Structure formats: structure tokens, C-alpha cells
Amino acid sequence: MCTKTYFYTMVAKQSFLKNTSKEVFFQLLLHIVLFLFFSFDKNEPEISGFKIVAFINYALGALLINYVFLPRFFYKKKYLIFFLSVVLVIAGIIAIEELVLERIYYPDTRGKHFPGVIFSLLDVMPVITILAGFKFAWDASKKQHEVDQLKSSVKESELQFLKSQINPHFLFNNLNNLYSYAIDNSPKTPSIILELSSVLRYMLYDCKENFVPLTKEVEHLKNFTQLNELQIEERGTVTYQTENIGTGYRIAPLILTVFVENAFKHSTASQSEDIVIDISIDVTDKGTLQFECLNSFRPTTNTNELSHGIGLENVKKRLEIIYPNAHELTISETDTLYSVKLEIRLKQETK
């Protein structure tokens, strides 16, 4: 535990130092560029000592505003104190320049009279505004980056939570089926074990990524369908068709599985015979997945909850998060048929 805490502390410290050093670099660069513009005068091409100390006077005032007043007052919404503090700093900058620096460097000319508040503000405010504005923009950018990271973290956590809800509860049913086949010494037992193993391996290991190759997802769905078909036996027909499933596309895992699982539950919960489940997957030339799952059912009291269960709400939310404005889900229901049609603009595999 201590080791983990130390590790996270070091990572946070390194990140802080990296961000701080980057800010210092850009602040120095800004000060140098701004000083060159401030000191440029075609009538006086050389950089005088007055220009150097005057700019330092401005920079120190901006430093006070940026690293004391902004975090202590402005970011804590103490706007009146912040405004008064800035006014005092600017007044101090003007006083130092007019009453001290100009009398030292220009005792016989500019040091003899005060040009007025307006003229002094026009001289001071551009530099202060640029330096303070840069710091404010930098902090705002950093805060936005933190917000984006937080949103990304929350989104990732939500996706992982939604994924974890896709619980392979069908495992219990399939273990019971497997037990029955084993008792009867059925020749199907080895193939059932292989299919079950393949499905579990896919769910436990291959689905850790946000996107998986479409070919793997389709193969998993085939194995998943064949396992669930054991619940039907001779009570109906199950068809699984795929077309144009080429390589090069990726899809969020276990999206389609929920609809197939729901179709089997929906049918077997209300029918003891004449069950029909049709599953088809096609990919267009433009990379749009077209998935359709149709199942028969008889309207009984136990199917209402199945067709509006947590699984469907889960997958709808995942689709909204992963494929915003890139999917179209249509669910329709008649007296005897339940239909799901889903179109997804697939992602290309990166090489």
C-alpha cells in the first residue's frame, strides 16, 4: 500500500514539475518578446537602463497579480478584493516609475513633472494586461485540460461499469446443459465445452479493449448463438447469417451479444415450441454494420420485463457513449414478433 501511494505521489510530482517547467518556459519567452516590443523605439535604438528597470517594475507587478491575487482572490470569487488589489498594484507601479525611476534616469526632463493618470495608465496597462491575460489564459487552458481528463476518466469508468454489467449469466444455463449432455454421454459434449470455453475467453480477456476486430466479434457471436441454441433443441429454428464481414473494421465488444441474448430469453420464456430466431449481420461498402435480430414470442406476462430489461438499457447507453451520432437503433414489436435493427458506422483498424 505504501509503495503504491509513493508511486502515485511520484507520478503526480513529476507531472506537476513538467507542467510548471513548461509554464516557466512560455512565461520567459513571453517576457522576452514583450520586452523587445516595449523597448523598441526607432528614435532610441539602444536599450536603455530605464527601459530595463521599468519593464522589471511592470513584470513584478504582473507577477504579484498572476501568482497571488488570481489564485487567492479571483479564482475564489472574491472579485472586489481582487479588483482593489489590482488597482493598488497598478498605482504602485505608476508611483515607482514616476516618483523614483524617472527622477533617477531623467532628473532634468520627465522626472520634473507628472504626465497624468490617463497617460500613465496607457503606458502601464498594455504590458500588465498582456502578462496577466497570458497567465489567466494558461490557467483556463490547464483547467479545461483537467476537466477533459476528468470527463474522459468518468466516461472510461462508466464504460467499464457498463461492460461489467454484461454478466454471462447464461453460464449457469449452459453448465446445466453441459451436465445433462455429460450424463447422457452425448457426442456433443466436447464441442459444447470448446464453444463455452471460447465464449468465456472472449468475454474475460479479448473484451478488455474498447474496440475489437469485427471478425472476432462475429465469431464470438456465432459461438454464443450456438450455445444458446442448446436451450431450444427441437422446439424451433435458429438461423445465423453473415455477409461481407471483411477485415479492417473494429467494433465495441459485446454490443450485439445483448440483443441475441435478449432474443433467446424473450422466446424461450414465452414459447415451448415453434420458436424462431433469425440473426443477420452485413457490412456495406461504406463500412456501415447492419445487424438484425428477429425473434418470435407469445405475449405473456413474463415477457414485458425481458424486452425492457437492464441489458437493453445498458446497451443503449453504451451506444450513446461510444457511437454518438454514428448509430441508429430501431426496436419494433408486433403481437408475435420482436425485431431489433441496428446500424453502426464502424471504425477502421489502425495499422
Side-chain angles (χ1 to χ4, degrees):
M1 185 70 179
C2 292
T3 304
K4 186 179 290 187
T5 303
Y6 174 77
F7 172 76
Y8 286 122
T9 302
M10 291 301 297
V11 169
K13 187 179 293 185
Q14 289 176 358
S15 177
F16 172 78
L17 290 175
K18 182 180 179 180
N19 292 330
T20 302
S21 60
K22 187 182 293 185
E23 181 179 351
V24 169
F25 171 77
F26 282 106
Q27 281 281 14
L28 288 174
L29 184 63
L30 175 66
H31 279 68
I32 292 171
V33 172
L34 194 59
F35 172 72
L36 292 176
F37 277 100
F38 170 78
S39 61
F40 175 75
D41 187 345
K42 63 180 180 180
N43 297 321
E44 296 182 24
E46 74 282 354
I47 298 177
S48 64
F50 172 78
K51 291 178 180 178
I52 295 175
V53 294
F55 186 81
I56 292 174
N57 183 33
Y58 296 168
L60 290 174
L63 186 71
L64 195 62
I65 293 171
N66 292 341
Y67 294 96
V68 177
F69 299 157
L70 276 176
R72 288 190 180 181
F73 305 136
F74 188 83
Y75 294 150
K76 294 182 179 179
K77 299 182 179 181
K78 299 177 181 179
Y79 300 125
L80 180 60
I81 300 177
F82 173 77
F83 176 76
L84 294 174
S85 300
V86 171
V87 169
L88 287 175
V89 168
I90 292 174
I93 292 172
I94 293 174
I96 291 173
E97 182 173 347
E98 298 295 336
L99 300 178
V100 179
L101 300 180
E102 288 192 354
R103 292 187 179 185
I104 293 175
Y105 287 93
Y106 303 103
D108 298 326
T109 54
R110 292 162 56 180
K112 287 186 175 182
H113 65 279
F114 179 62
V117 175
I118 302 298
F119 181 84
S120 298
L121 285 174
L122 291 175
D123 193 33
V124 173
M125 287 307 296
V127 177
I128 297 297
T129 301
I130 293 173
L131 293 176
F134 175 84
K135 173 60 177 173
F136 181 79
W138 181 274
D139 289 346
S141 175
K142 185 167 68 173
K143 184 64 67 176
Q144 184 60 46
H145 179 66
E146 291 174 356
V147 170
D148 291 341
Q149 281 187 324
L150 181 61
K151 285 182 178 178
S152 177
S153 176
V154 170
K155 183 177 177 180
E156 181 64 24
S157 298
E158 186 173 7
L159 280 175
Q160 293 300 327
F161 173 71
L162 291 173
K163 257 194 198 178
S164 68
Q165 283 187 314
I166 304 173
N167 195 1
H169 63 270
F170 74 97
L171 177 62
F172 181 75
N173 292 330
N174 281 288
L175 286 175
N176 283 336
N177 290 330
L178 182 59
Y179 178 75
S180 300
Y181 280 106
I183 291 293
D184 295 336
N185 293 319
S186 171
K188 293 183 179 180
T189 304
S191 62
I192 295 173
I193 294 174
L194 287 176
E195 288 175 357
L196 183 58
S197 174
S198 176
V199 168
L200 291 178
R201 186 184 304 110
Y202 183 82
M203 285 186 165
L204 292 173
Y205 300 109
D206 296 343
C207 292
K208 289 185 178 180
E209 299 296 327
N210 290 332
F211 295 93
V212 297
L214 178 62
T215 50
K216 278 192 173 184
E217 180 72 7
V218 170
E219 182 64 26
H220 156 73
L221 201 62
K222 179 182 177 182
N223 293 331
F224 184 83
T225 302
Q226 289 174 344
L227 278 173
N228 281 278
E229 194 175 354
L230 295 174
Q231 303 173 36
I232 295 177
E233 291 291 345
E234 305 300 327
R235 295 186 292 154
T237 59
V238 177
T239 58
Y240 180 84
Q241 296 178 331
T242 60
E243 292 184 26
N244 306 319
I245 308 298
T247 58
Y249 293 106
R250 298 178 70 81
I251 187 173
L254 304 179
I255 289 284
L256 307 179
T257 303
V258 176
F259 298 115
V260 174
E261 182 181 24
N262 189 70
F264 277 97
K265 288 192 298 182
H266 206 188
S267 293
T268 56
S270 64
Q271 290 178 271
S272 58
E273 59 183 6
D274 299 327
I275 295 173
V276 175
I277 297 177
D278 291 329
I279 303 162
S280 64
I281 306 174
D282 186 19
V283 179
T284 67
D285 295 336
K286 294 183 179 180
T288 299
L289 175 81
Q290 295 179 331
F291 169 82
E292 185 170 0
C293 184
L294 182 74
N295 69 273
S296 62
F297 75 98
R298 290 176 184 168
T300 57
T301 55
N302 66 337
T303 58
N304 291 328
E305 293 183 1
L306 287 174
S307 57
H308 302 90
I310 189 172
L312 282 178
E313 293 304 315
N314 184 318
V315 77
K316 286 177 183 178
K317 195 164 187 180
R318 286 190 70 206
L319 284 169
E320 290 173 2
I321 294 174
I322 304 172
Y323 295 104
N325 304 316
H327 78 280
E328 184 176 348
L329 175 64
T330 304
I331 299 178
S332 57
E333 185 176 340
T334 67
D335 291 339
T336 57
L337 291 175
Y338 188 85
S339 173
V340 174
K341 293 182 180 179
L342 174 64
E343 291 189 359
I344 298 176
R345 290 201 296 272
L346 296 174
K347 294 182 178 290
Q348 293 277 359
E349 284 197 61
T350 55
K351 295 182 180 180

